Amino acid sequence: MKTTIEELVAFRTVVDTGSITAAAEQLGHTVSGISRALSRLEQKLDTTLMRRTTRRLEITEEGAAFLQRTRAILDAIDDAEEQMAARREQPAGRLRVNAASPFMLHAIVPLVPEFRRLYPQISLELDTDDLPIDLLERRTDIAIRIGPLRDSTLHARPLGTHRLRVLASPAYLEAHGKPRTAAELVDHTLLGFTQPESLNRWPLRGVHGDEWAIAPTLAASSGETLRQLALAGAGIVCLADFMTGADRASGALVQVLAKETVDVRQPVNAVYYRNTQLSARITSFLDFLSQRMT
């Protein structure tokens, strides 16, 4: 049976106060409780730590040697607790964040300088993948996922939503004309995703309801690739607002079929494994993103 912290604290306090009664008073325990803790400790160590007389306690040679190690152990625990408390006040350590390339480039990267100013002791490690990853295998603290969540083993924190819009460059529309209805998209070059297929269902009203399934003329796995193709005048695309805000503001991309577009918003969630209380560095990053995305 291994020694407990409670027994070590009892032993140290008895030595420091000079009596079991004083130690019990200081620790808020009963005299019998402190006495039993000392007895258990000596039994586990199979040695006498203190000689008890009716008048006083006297530490043995073995007790003095063990006291030195006891103080070191308890001091180390105190230091560790103080460091954890300091981290709660000023989060520190490495934080591994994973997101799809477009979200990383357009939503997270612009915020990194501000986050670093607020939390200079957090070391960020930013990874990109266009498909969901195994957080444990990749040793990832937080992954940002866009769209409905399917992995029930993960904990999720909603960060906001982003609207989907159908867009094209002015150059493309000048060369090929502007579609007036969703049905006319069949006459245009459509930029879509290789997977998942759900991303090729555009939020447009038509004969099939509020969703229009397209057959991509050009397909890519990354939304950023599709954005660049649209900017180059290669076709019409459907993307989330977080990717195209600056493009729409500058006129590099313009909305197509605005009246036929249904207000569909993709949920954005931060997902993570949680076996214990979240570390301060994870909480600080989640709070930071949430405040700037709402």
Side-chain angles (χ1 to χ4, degrees):
M1 187 180 298
K2 295 184 178 179
T3 302
T4 68
I5 300 299
E6 180 184 358
E7 292 163 353
L8 295 181
V9 171
F11 174 53
R12 182 185 66 178
T13 308
V14 168
V15 173
D16 290 345
T17 60
S19 74
I20 292 177
T21 301
E25 185 176 331
Q26 180 172 313
L27 295 174
H29 296 311
T30 63
V31 172
S32 59
I34 297 296
S35 181
R36 284 195 300 271
L38 282 179
S39 296
R40 287 196 306 270
L41 184 57
E42 290 180 326
Q43 185 177 5
K44 291 174 182 179
L45 297 174
D46 194 23
T47 191
T48 300
L49 299 175
M50 305 190 77
R51 294 190 184 92
R52 300 163 178 81
T53 69
T54 55
R55 300 183 62 181
R56 63 191 182 95
L57 292 173
E58 181 179 310
I59 192 166
T60 64
E61 184 177 345
E62 292 79 11
F66 188 70
L67 177 63
Q68 184 176 1
R69 301 302 296 271
T70 295
R71 292 194 189 282
I73 292 169
L74 296 178
D75 287 346
I77 292 173
D78 289 341
D79 288 343
E81 290 178 345
E82 288 177 4
Q83 287 183 11
M84 291 302 101
R87 281 179 175 239
R88 288 192 295 272
E89 295 298 324
Q90 182 59 270
R94 183 173 299 278
L95 181 65
R96 298 176 175 88
V97 180
N98 182 279
S101 305
F103 193 86
M104 184 69 76
L105 290 172
H106 296 283
I108 294 180
V109 167
L111 297 176
V112 167
E114 182 185 2
F115 183 78
R116 292 285 299 131
R117 286 195 299 272
L118 292 173
Y119 303 101
Q121 296 184 44
I122 293 180
S123 176
L124 282 175
E125 186 175 295
L126 305 177
D127 297 315
T128 57
D129 289 274
D130 290 319
L131 296 176
I133 63 161
D134 186 315
L135 272 66
L136 289 179
E137 181 181 334
R138 296 284 289 275
R139 299 177 62 207
T140 297
D141 296 305
I142 303 170
I144 309 299
R145 293 190 177 170
I146 302 168
L149 294 176
R150 296 178 178 84
D151 192 340
S152 61
T153 65
L154 297 173
H155 297 271
R157 175 168 171 177
L159 296 178
T161 60
H162 284 278
R163 188 177 180 184
L164 292 170
R165 300 177 197 267
V166 180
L167 306 161
S169 70
Y172 175 86
L173 296 175
E174 184 177 350
H176 301 280
K178 197 171 188 177
R180 292 168 296 177
T181 65
E184 291 185 7
L185 289 175
V186 70
D187 298 322
H188 288 268
T189 300
L190 305 182
L191 310 177
F193 288 85
T194 54
Q195 58 177 311
E197 188 58 34
S198 61
L199 293 179
N200 292 327
R201 294 194 289 269
W202 292 3
L204 296 171
R205 296 184 186 89
V207 294
H208 301 296
D210 291 342
E211 194 174 75
W212 194 275
I214 65 130
T217 312
L218 288 174
S221 61
S222 168
E224 180 60 22
T225 301
L226 295 177
R227 171 179 169 268
Q228 293 293 338
L229 285 169
L231 288 170
I236 300 175
V237 72
C238 181
L239 295 173
D241 279 355
F242 72 82
M243 294 181 59
T244 62
D247 301 327
R248 287 181 287 112
S250 68
L253 291 177
V254 297
Q255 187 171 0
V256 176
L257 300 171
K259 292 183 179 180
E260 288 76 21
T261 298
V262 181
D263 188 354
V264 172
R265 297 173 184 270
Q266 285 187 322
V268 180
N269 288 281
V271 298
Y272 49 90
Y273 283 102
R274 183 178 64 192
N275 297 322
T276 57
Q277 185 176 358
L278 285 182
S279 68
R281 67 183 185 280
I282 292 177
T283 301
S284 63
F285 188 80
L286 293 179
D287 290 344
F288 176 83
L289 273 188
S290 181
Q291 290 166 6
R292 283 150 186 80
M293 288 187 60
T294 53

